[in-house]
Amino acid sequence: MDWQWKLLPLLTLLASFLFLYYIQDSFKPFQSDCSLLPYSHYWIASKHIVTPQGIISGAVEVKGGNIISIVKDKDWNGKSKQVVDYGYAVVMPGLIDVHAHLDDPGRAEWEGFPSGTKAAAAGGITTLIDMPLNSFPSTVSTETLKLKIEAAEKRIFVDVGFWGGLVPGNAFNATALEGLLNAGVLGLKSFMCPSGINDFPMTDANHIKAGLSVLAKYRRPLLVHSEIQQDVESYLQDEDGDDPRLYSTYLKTRPPSWEEAAIRELLTVTKDTRIGGPAEGAHLHVVHLSDASSSLDLIKEAKRRGDSITVETCPHYLAFSAEEIPDGDTRFKCAPPIRDAANKENLWNALMEGHIDMLSSDHSPTVPELKLLNDGNFLRAWGGISSIQFVLPVTWSYGRKFGVTLEQLALWWSERPAKLAQQHSKGAIAIGNHADIVVWEPEVEFDLNADHPMYVKNPSISAYIGKRLSGKVLATFVRGNLVYNEGNHAAAACGALILAT
């Protein structure tokens, strides 16, 4: 047995060599067009790292696209060669935008996967879920989902998932809906008013009830554009000369009662989602809430009753008010509309108090011609706010007067959207999660003007042009790849397609 003891020092020495080789190999440079950083194993250090346990000063260790350790300063020696030290800049979980229209395929001149995801990366968005309409054809079947996937493959700079469409043509066809869900959509989306897209017609409570019964089996959400169209003519007084160039004229055509009527109808169905209900497991999500009065009260009551329901609003409802929109400036047209200043204050209060669950961009671009910028006719112009690159600084800039914290930004833009989209490896800087991270400087101001780099297809239609904002995005990491760094993008589009299983 003595020979075994004699071999022990040699075995120990060999183990040491192997360990050193492993350490050196794991930190050795690598070359990839997917990342602006020449390492797959490295540390991100900062004095302000936003974690679920609070803001810490320390470092995040990234390897193979995942977060493998998080250390505070007292446990961090900082001696590794592969350290990206951001000093006092904020290191936060990447934003997850659950409501974006990239219009690809079919209307890529409005926006496309390359331009939209480049803009997202420049804004700190690491994951977005693409809406099923405004592209052509709309994503309402397994065949149309396949077209969407093919259009996105190897053309996205951030991770992208897809909502499917719930329309009258498939709502009562459980086999068709199950096929769409089995093919990978993360949930469904429907409109309770005309969408403006011919192959995406509106639904009613019966369609939604049928959709929820299928979604219950998959435990996935239904997102609903909650407006019910009423008699537009009754709101316009032609004899008084309602001017279509006045925003107030457009505002009359989509009053808060449209949202209230839709949500009231929805709540006749969402009771089925309660524990023990026939659609338990399904979830209903009200998108882009604009009305902070009766509509919000109905949602709050449904939550108290135990309905499985959440609600989002968007930065443009929190940044702008109807009174300040210039005559003929159709960049501000969207649906539901931007309402008055008192309503904006109430939306902020509801968000701060937790009654509104999360934020999304509702990035809904088009070509400038359809915005009728020269004509300025609010009644005829295409509706939608182009915003995806600037939602982080907009939320921060307009939220500071309300006392918004970094932790709340992470909650509204990362943690809760991850839960809605069932992306359990995203939404927080936590061990085991994807290394989806945004680095930004909250105190740095910039003017959003023609000289500022914008990566969307049609930057001139953004309602944020001309604003001074706080919060400069320095860097964006997607699954450990540094995809954006101070005005530069990675050479290759290596974002992942997210398909539900």
Side-chain angles (χ1 to χ4, degrees), residues 28 42 47 52 76 92 138 203 256 307 345 378 465 472:
K28 72 180 182 181
Y42 57 91
K47 300 294 184 185
W76 164 242
M92 202 171 79
S138 294
T203 56
D307 295 12
E345 294 277 319
F378 277 105
I465 297 292
K472 179 185 177 183

Side-chain angles (χ1 to χ4, degrees), residues 189-408:
K189 162 76 181 292
S190 71
F191 267 70
M192 296 184 76
C193 62
S195 71
I197 299 295
N198 291 337
D199 66 345
F200 205 94
M202 58 186 265
T203 56
D204 60 25
N206 292 322
H207 300 118
I208 289 166
K209 184 181 180 73
L212 286 174
S213 67
V214 174
L215 286 163
K217 305 173 191 175
Y218 292 81
R219 309 190 76 83
R220 296 182 204 168
L222 173 63
L223 288 72
V224 182
H225 181 124
S226 302
E227 288 182 289
I228 288 182
Q229 188 173 31
Q230 298 168 337
D231 181 14
V232 173
E233 297 302 321
S234 65
Y235 300 106
L236 296 176
Q237 304 296 325
D238 289 336
E239 65 271 20
D240 295 332
D242 282 313
D243 184 351
R245 287 181 50 82
L246 298 178
Y247 186 76
S248 58
T249 299
Y250 172 61
L251 193 58
K252 288 180 186 178
T253 69
R254 292 186 102 104
S257 59
W258 282 34
E259 289 187 83
E260 180 186 351
I263 292 169
R264 196 175 293 281
E265 185 167 316
L266 278 177
L267 299 190
T268 66
V269 177
T270 57
K271 66 181 187 299
D272 292 348
T273 64
R274 297 174 197 168
I275 295 173
E280 180 185 353
H283 178 81
L284 192 134
H285 181 71
V286 175
V287 299
H288 51 46
L289 181 77
S290 167
D291 172 36
S293 55
S294 300
S295 302
L296 182 61
D297 290 339
L298 288 169
I299 294 169
K300 287 157 64 174
E301 180 57 34
K303 288 182 177 182
R304 284 193 288 268
R305 291 196 305 260
D307 295 12
S308 185
I309 184 171
T310 49
V311 58
E312 71 186 41
T313 193
C314 305
H316 44 273
Y317 299 123
L318 301 170
F320 306 128
S321 56
E323 297 92 332
E324 67 182 282
I325 296 175
D327 295 353
D329 197 343
T330 53
R331 296 176 305 159
F332 290 87
K333 180 181 178 179
C334 59
I338 296 163
R339 305 197 188 278
D340 61 29
N343 183 81
K344 178 178 74 173
E345 294 277 319
N346 290 335
L347 281 175
W348 270 114
N349 292 333
L351 184 63
M352 295 295 289
E353 293 166 5
H355 301 304
I356 294 174
D357 300 280
M358 67 191 77
L359 297 174
S360 75
S361 72
D362 189 16
H363 177 64
S364 185
T366 186
V367 289
E369 301 81 66
L370 290 181
K371 273 294 188 182
L372 305 181
L373 298 173
N374 294 327
D375 184 42
N377 188 321
F378 277 105
L379 301 183
R380 292 178 52 244
W382 182 265
I385 303 290
S386 178
S387 61
I388 197 166
Q389 187 174 332
F390 302 108
V391 291
L392 176 55
V394 166
T395 308
W396 178 248
S397 299
Y398 289 91
R400 294 174 81 174
K401 67 175 271 192
F402 295 92
V404 166
T405 66
L406 298 175
E407 293 96 328
Q408 285 172 315

Side-chain angles (χ1 to χ4, degrees), residues 148-170:
K148 179 73 77 170
I149 291 169
E150 289 172 350
E153 281 181 323
K154 298 181 181 179
R155 300 176 71 232
I156 51 177
F157 286 82
V158 302
D159 289 357
V160 174
F162 309 98
W163 303 118
L166 179 74
V167 293
N170 63 19

Side-chain angles (χ1 to χ4, degrees), residues 1-14:
M1 300 291 288
D2 288 345
W3 63 272
Q4 290 178 322
W5 291 105
K6 291 177 181 178
L7 280 176
L8 188 58
L10 291 173
L11 292 171
T12 303
L13 185 61
L14 179 60

